[in-house]
C-alpha cells in the first residue's frame, strides 16, 4: 500500500519571518501520520522553516535545484546546499520553471539524476496545456516527458521517486481536472513506468495530482486508485491545507 504524500508548493511567496509564522500556524492542522507532509519552500525560507517544523510531521523540501555540484552559476542552489540544510525532497520540472526559465525535459533529467546522487527525492512534474488536451495528445505528451525525465534512472531510484501530474490548464485557475481525468493520466503514467521498468517499480512509485486542489476536491481525487496524494499550490498557504492533509478524517 503506497503511503499518500501531500506537498505544498509555496512558489514565490513568504518571507523568512512569514514562513516561520505559517509553519507554526499549520503544524497542528497538518498532524496526520497516515500521510507524508512536505512543504516545498523558497530557498531563503528553507532553514527557518526547517527550524520551525522541528518536532512535527512536516518535512521541508525545495522548489528547485541545479544539476552541478558547485561553480559559476550565479543564483542557483546546489544539491549539497540542500542536503546540508536537511532537505529530503525537491520539486523538479514544474511547468512554471519550464515556461519562464527555459527548463527542458533534458535539464529535468539532469536534475533528477543529481538529486538521486545526493539522496534527495525528486518530485517530478509533468502536464499538458489546454491546447494539447484539446488536440488529444495528453497521454503521448506525458509519456514523452516521463521517458526523457527518467532516462538513466535505475529501477530502484524510480521506485522511490514522486511524480506530480499537473495539467497546466488547471494550475492557479480554479479549474480542476475531474477525478476521472486525473485518474486516467495517473494510470497512464504508472503504465509508462511499468513499460520502462517493471510492474514492481510501477506499483511502488507515488503519483500525485496537482492543479487547484482544494479541501473540497481532495477526498474524491485521493480516492482514485493511481493518485497517491497532491502537489498543492495556493491552498498550501492557508489553514485549509490542514483539511487537504486530513482528507481521510
Amino acid at each position: 500500500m503506497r503511503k499518500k504524500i501531500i506537498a505544498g508548493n509555496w512558489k514565490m511567496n513568504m518571507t523568512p519571518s512569514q514562513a516561520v509564522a505559517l509553519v507554526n500556524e499549520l503544524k497542528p492542522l497538518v498532524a496526520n501520520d497516515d500521510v507524508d507532509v512536505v512543504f516545498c519552500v523558497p530557498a531563503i525560507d528553507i532553514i527557518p522553516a526547517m527550524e520551525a517544523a522541528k518536532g512535527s510531521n512536516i518535512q521541508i523540501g525545495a522548489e528547485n535545484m541545479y544539476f552541478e555540484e558547485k561553480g559559476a552559476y550565479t543564483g542557483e542552489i546546489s544539491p549539497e546546499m540542500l542536503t546540508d540544510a536537511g532537505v529530503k525532497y525537491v520539486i523538479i520540472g514544474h511547468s512554471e520553471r519550464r515556461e519562464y526559465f527555459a527548463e527542458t525535459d533534458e535539464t529535468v533529467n539532469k536534475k533528477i539524476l543529481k538529486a538521486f546522487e545526493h539522496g534527495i527525492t525528486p518530485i517530478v512534474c509533468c502536464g499538458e496545456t489546454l491546447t494539447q488536451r484539446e488536440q488529444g495528445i495528453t497521454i503521448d505528451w506525458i509519456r514523452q516527458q516521463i521517458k526523457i525525465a527518467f532516462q538513466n534512472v535505475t529501477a530502484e531510484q524510480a521506485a522511490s521517486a514522486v511524480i506530480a501530474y499537473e495539467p497546466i490548464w488547471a494550475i492557479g485557475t480554479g479549474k480542476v481536472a475531474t477525478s476521472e481525468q486525473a485518474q486516467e493520466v495517473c494510470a497512464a503514467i504508472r503504465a509508462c513506468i511499468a513499460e520502462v521498468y517493471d510492474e514492481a517499480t510501477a506499483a511502488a512509485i507515488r503519483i500525485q495530482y496537482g492543479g487547484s486542489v482544494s479541501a473540497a476536491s481532495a477526498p474524491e481525487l485521493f480516492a482514485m486508485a493511481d493518485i497517491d496524494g497532491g502537489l498543492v499550490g495556493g491552498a498550501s498557504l492557508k489553514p485549509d491545507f490542514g483539511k487537504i492533509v486530513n482528507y481521510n478524517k
Side-chain angles (χ1 to χ4, degrees):
M1 187 70 180
R2 294 180 299 271
K3 189 176 184 180
K4 292 282 194 282
I5 176 168
I6 301 175
N9 176 14
W10 287 13
K11 307 193 179 186
M12 197 176 71
N13 294 292
M14 299 288 142
T15 64
S17 59
Q18 290 170 337
V20 169
L22 182 59
V23 170
N24 285 329
E25 180 184 12
L26 291 177
K27 265 195 290 195
L29 304 180
V30 300
N32 183 351
D33 291 331
D34 295 336
V35 305
D36 286 334
V37 180
V38 185
F39 290 177
C40 293
V41 307
I44 198 169
D45 294 342
I46 289 172
I47 290 173
M50 195 80 68
E51 285 296 315
K54 277 184 178 173
S56 75
N57 63 315
I58 298 167
Q59 300 180 75
I60 301 299
E63 296 180 15
N64 186 34
M65 182 201 81
Y66 199 49
F67 52 75
E68 295 289 354
E69 297 287 341
K70 59 178 67 174
Y73 305 105
T74 301
E76 290 293 340
I77 305 294
S78 77
E80 188 178 16
M81 292 173 186
L82 295 183
T83 54
D84 191 61
V87 167
K88 296 290 192 293
Y89 291 90
V90 60
I91 297 173
I92 293 178
H94 192 279
S95 61
E96 289 156 4
R97 296 292 315 171
R98 296 174 190 257
E99 181 180 358
Y100 304 135
F101 304 102
E103 289 204 7
T104 65
D105 290 333
E106 288 73 20
T107 58
V108 166
N109 173 244
K110 287 182 179 181
K111 290 184 178 187
I112 292 168
L113 292 170
K114 188 56 71 172
F116 279 126
E117 200 177 304
H118 285 264
I120 305 172
T121 300
I123 298 174
V124 184
C125 297
C126 60
E128 83 284 9
T129 64
L130 184 57
T131 300
Q132 287 164 335
R133 175 161 281 274
E134 290 172 344
Q135 289 169 337
I137 62 169
T138 294
I139 302 299
D140 292 335
W141 179 259
I142 301 292
R143 280 172 56 85
Q144 176 178 305
Q145 287 186 312
I146 295 300
K147 285 190 172 187
I148 298 173
F150 281 81
Q151 196 164 12
N152 298 319
V153 173
T154 68
E156 184 181 5
Q157 290 170 334
S160 69
V162 178
I163 296 175
Y165 166 56
E166 293 199 306
I168 296 167
W169 49 270
I171 298 173
T173 62
K175 295 179 182 177
V176 184
T178 66
S179 298
E180 290 73 24
Q181 286 174 322
Q183 164 61 20
E184 178 190 18
V185 179
C186 290
I189 291 169
R190 201 174 301 284
C192 183
I193 293 293
E195 188 180 305
V196 173
Y197 298 102
D198 50 46
E199 291 293 342
T201 305
I205 197 168
R206 294 189 287 181
I207 303 172
Q208 300 174 311
Y209 170 77
S212 300
V213 176
S214 67
S217 64
E220 188 178 324
L221 283 165
F222 299 167
M224 295 288 126
D226 291 292
I227 300 178
D228 305 313
L231 183 58
V232 184
S236 69
L237 301 169
K238 303 169 185 172
D240 254 18
F241 189 56
K243 295 177 183 174
I244 296 173
V245 168
N246 289 290
Y247 74 97
N248 59 343
K249 296 186 175 179

